[in-house]
């Protein structure tokens, strides 16, 4: 009787350890997926642009009665904020268009300084300029392991030595596709 209790305890303990391990594996796998997604696009530039657009768009929103008294003064703020939100999402979900989105974000943020409550009391304009700059400057990077292969084959003279017979040839890294022609 005592022996069966010990066996049942050890089985339940091993099951709980296995579920804890699989839970941590799935968590680490999801974090790895998240990090891979975040690093494959101008994440921080898009985030700052989204925050800037939300800040510029929300400030002039008021009850309808007050908005009607403002007249057309609140409309550019809402439109500029919406455009900046779309540009931030473009940076996230269409990374090849990051250069155009970064330039347009900077231009719209600068225009918001004049057209909408000092660009969200300068906070929206500054966030938009920084976000546009980060989107514009972001570059995708090639696989680090592929880059290390070419540096291992170089000699002191700077030329690559051919592999000896029987040794496998290391492939040269293929450049990634970038429509703007940026080089990593």
């Amino acid at each position: 009787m005592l022996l069966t209790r010990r066996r049942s305890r050890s089985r339940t303990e091993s099951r709980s350890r296995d579920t804890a391990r699989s839970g941590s594996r799935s968590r680490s796998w999801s974090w790895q997926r998240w990090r891979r997604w975040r690093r494959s696009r101008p994440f921080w530039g898009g985030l700052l642009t989204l925050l800037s657009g939300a800040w510029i768009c929300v400030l002039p929103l008021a009850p309808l009665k007050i908005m009607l008294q403002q007249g057309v003064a609140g409309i550019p703020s809402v439109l500029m904020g919406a455009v900046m939100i779309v540009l931030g999402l473009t940076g996230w979900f269409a990374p090849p268009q990051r250069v155009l989105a970064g330039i347009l974000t900077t231009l719209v943020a600068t225009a918001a300084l004049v057209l909408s409550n000092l660009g969200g009391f300068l906070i929206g304009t500054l966030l938009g300029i920084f976000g546009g700059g980060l989107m514009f400057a972001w570059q995708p990077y090639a696989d680090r392991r592929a880059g290390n292969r070419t540096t291992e084959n170089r000699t002191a003279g700077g030329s690559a030595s051919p592999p000896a017979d029987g040794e496998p040839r290391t492939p040269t890294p293929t450049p990634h596709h970038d429509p703007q022609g940026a080089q990593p």
Side-chain angles (χ1 to χ4, degrees):
M1 176 99 167
L2 184 63
L3 185 60
T4 58
R5 286 184 187 169
R6 287 184 185 169
R7 284 184 186 166
S8 65
R9 281 186 200 160
S10 66
R11 286 181 189 162
T12 57
E13 288 173 0
S14 66
R15 286 180 192 155
S16 65
R17 277 188 239 131
D18 289 341
T19 57
R21 286 179 189 159
S22 67
S24 66
R25 285 181 192 153
S26 66
R27 273 188 247 128
S28 68
W29 181 73
S30 62
W31 276 110
Q32 287 173 354
R33 279 186 59 196
W34 164 249
R35 288 180 67 201
R36 196 175 321 124
W37 182 85
R38 183 176 48 94
R39 290 180 178 181
S40 66
R41 58 203 71 245
F43 178 77
W44 295 109
L47 182 67
L48 288 178
T49 302
L50 283 170
L51 291 174
S52 170
W55 185 263
I56 290 173
C57 189
V58 168
L59 278 181
L61 291 180
L64 184 60
K65 213 173 196 181
I66 297 172
M67 280 283 282
L68 290 176
Q69 289 175 355
Q70 277 183 347
V72 295
I75 293 173
S77 298
V78 175
L79 289 177
M80 280 191 243
V83 166
M84 289 182 74
I85 289 171
V86 168
L87 288 171
L89 292 173
T90 300
W92 275 359
F93 297 111
Q97 304 303 323
R98 70 188 180 282
V99 173
L100 179 64
I103 292 170
L104 288 177
T105 297
T106 305
L107 291 175
V108 171
T110 306
L113 185 63
V114 177
L115 296 175
S116 76
N117 300 330
L118 288 175
F121 302 117
L122 292 178
I123 295 171
T125 295
L126 291 176
L127 286 174
I129 289 172
F130 288 140
L134 286 174
M135 273 198 291
F136 181 78
W138 181 83
Q139 291 289 320
Y141 60 91
D143 190 16
R144 290 180 187 168
R145 289 173 281 165
N148 289 340
R149 288 183 196 146
T150 58
T151 57
E152 290 172 359
N153 291 335
R154 295 182 192 212
T155 60
S159 64
S161 61
D165 290 339
E167 289 184 21
R169 290 185 177 264
T170 56
T172 58
T174 57
H176 57 279
H177 176 69
D178 188 16
Q180 278 82 21
Q183 297 298 319

